[in-house]
Amino acid sequence: MSTPSTILVTGATGKLGTAVCRALIARGLNVRATDLRYVPDFPTRVELGDLRDELFVYRVVEGCDAVVHLGNHPNAFVGISPQRLLAENTAMNANVFQATVDLGIRSIVFASSVQATIRRDRLTSGPPFEIPYLPLDGDLPPNPGLNTYGQSKEYAERMLRLFVAADPTLSATAIRFPMLVTEWLHKRLTTGTMALGFVDFTECTAHLYMEDAGRLVVDVIERRLAGYHQYFPALTMQLKGYPLGTWVAEKYPSAVLRRPVEELDSLVDIDAITRELGWRPTQRLVVQVG
Ligand SMILES: NC(=O)c1ccc[n+]([C@@H]2O[C@H](COP(=O)([O-])OP(=O)(O)OC[C@H]3O[C@@H](n4cnc5c(N)ncnc54)[C@H](O)[C@@H]3O)[C@@H](O)[C@H]2O)c1
């Protein structure tokens, strides 16, 4: 019997990391977990360390078959300055990608973000939102604006593309995650009726449940497609009481419609992901607005 592959997961004890580790273990893969934070009763041993320390990163990456890199400051509201966020995320990403390539590991999955592509630095309470076309997909051009969290993700994607240009046999995938739905968020958004003014339309209400995100990461690892790949795995909310055609016209009047809105059920096209990986999401947020 062959030994199962060992997958390094950075940011392992975080919200997404926990879902990814559980999904990898459920598929019979060995997990090497690393994070700054210890949590009790984690499903596997966690190697504590700081991804800003490049020597630690070489040590923890060595001997793995693939790297799932999730360890970052996860949004612009973590309580540090914008410039420090950009510098530290970029240091973590450069350390992990460089060590992975230097140590001859052929497969990297990175948690990018929709914020690399849709500006959140000029949040307004209404339109126009900067949506270039609908339905959205993984090919959206980068446009983080002044949001340094989004900038850090955009630059990480660029680093991965450059590593693959130097060696096209490498498998590197950036997953542009939307808002990830935890149990807590699910309850908060689906209990009772939500005032329309509280719905955030900036990213077209794109979201993904944590378990579906974990399963996607494992599918990418198992499929191991050579080259650079970029996915936007998301569904948009079903807003009961506010038909899709109405909010497209009201919120995104300048977006180019690539398909008639009557044909759409969600404003994100995930067909390419399903075609390449066989993955599809199993849960969607249904919110009563009024
Ligand atoms: N949650 C979302 O809605 C969302 C959306 C898009 C992208 N993402 C991305 O997914 C990844 C995981 O996000 P999450 O929601 O699980 O956040 P999280 O904060 O729960 O997890 C991030 C983990 O990274 C670790 N970390 C941070 N700095 C570190 C360092 N210097 N060294 C080692 N570990 C460090 C943290 O301790 C934490 O456990 C992040 O890269 C985030 O940017 C998340």
Side-chain angles (χ1 to χ4, degrees):
M1 225 170 72
S2 65
T3 324
S5 299
T6 297
I7 318 298
L8 175 71
V9 180
T10 73
T13 63
K15 294 181 287 300
L16 178 57
T18 303
V20 167
C21 289
R22 288 209 175 108
L24 287 164
I25 291 166
R27 296 255 192 118
L29 293 157
N30 282 333
V31 173
R32 183 181 298 171
T34 185
D35 203 297
L36 266 183
R37 274 189 315 191
Y38 172 79
V39 299
D41 303 324
F42 199 70
T44 186
R45 181 179 167 272
V46 180
E47 186 124 0
L48 293 177
D50 191 329
L51 297 174
R52 292 168 298 185
D53 172 355
E54 69 184 70
L55 300 183
F56 166 74
V57 173
Y58 275 98
R59 287 195 297 275
V60 80
V61 166
E62 191 167 24
C64 291
D65 300 291
V67 172
V68 176
H69 174 40
L70 315 175
N72 264 186
H73 296 299
N75 55 55
F77 308 106
V78 287
I80 59 172
S81 68
Q83 58 272 42
R84 188 169 149 207
L85 190 151
L86 175 62
E88 294 193 354
N89 271 3
T90 304
M92 292 183 227
N93 300 336
N95 287 344
V96 171
F97 298 159
Q98 191 67 52
T100 302
V101 170
D102 286 351
L103 291 166
I105 294 152
R106 317 298 305 141
S107 183
I108 309 175
V109 182
F110 170 62
S112 186
S113 165
V114 62
Q115 292 186 45
T117 64
I118 296 177
R119 300 184 69 147
R120 292 197 72 89
D121 60 324
R122 338 189 266 221
L123 271 187
T124 59
S125 56
F129 297 103
E130 288 190 23
I131 301 298
Y133 60 82
L134 290 171
L136 302 169
D137 59 23
D139 295 330
L140 263 184
N143 183 23
L146 296 174
N147 166 2
T148 60
Y149 168 72
Q151 289 171 5
S152 75
K153 298 295 189 184
E154 176 191 358
Y155 192 67
E157 291 180 357
R158 183 165 156 72
M159 281 192 266
L160 290 177
R161 277 197 301 272
L162 290 168
F163 279 121
V164 168
D167 176 1
T169 66
L170 187 67
S171 171
T173 303
I175 307 180
R176 291 170 162 177
F177 286 112
M179 173 179 79
L180 294 174
V181 183
T182 55
E183 238 169 78
W184 175 85
L185 192 59
H186 170 85
K187 278 200 195 113
R188 202 178 137 228
L189 296 176
T190 55
T191 308
T193 298
M194 187 188 248
L196 198 52
F198 282 106
V199 179
D200 182 354
F201 287 98
T202 321
E203 292 149 6
C204 299
T205 75
H207 65 279
L208 184 67
Y209 277 74
M210 214 47 101
E211 298 72 24
D212 284 332
R215 200 166 38 79
L216 172 62
V217 170
V218 185
D219 288 343
V220 172
I221 287 287
E222 290 195 326
R223 199 57 66 98
R224 215 202 152 283
L225 299 172
Y228 175 73
H229 299 267
Q230 192 174 275
Y231 299 123
F232 180 36
L235 291 171
T236 51
M237 292 182 197
Q238 192 186 329
L239 299 176
K240 284 181 148 182
Y242 193 36
L244 189 64
T246 312
W247 51 284
V248 166
E250 289 182 356
K251 307 294 180 191
Y252 317 115
S254 57
V256 173
L257 285 179
R258 291 183 165 177
R259 280 174 39 205
V261 77
E262 310 77 60
E263 286 180 12
L264 301 176
D265 173 46
S266 162
L267 297 181
V268 187
D269 180 354
I270 54 169
D271 286 355
I273 315 179
T274 305
R275 214 172 33 248
E276 287 177 23
L277 304 171
W279 174 92
R280 63 180 81 241
T282 58
Q283 282 177 282
R284 178 179 189 179
L285 271 170
V286 181
V287 175
Q288 181 70 51
V289 292

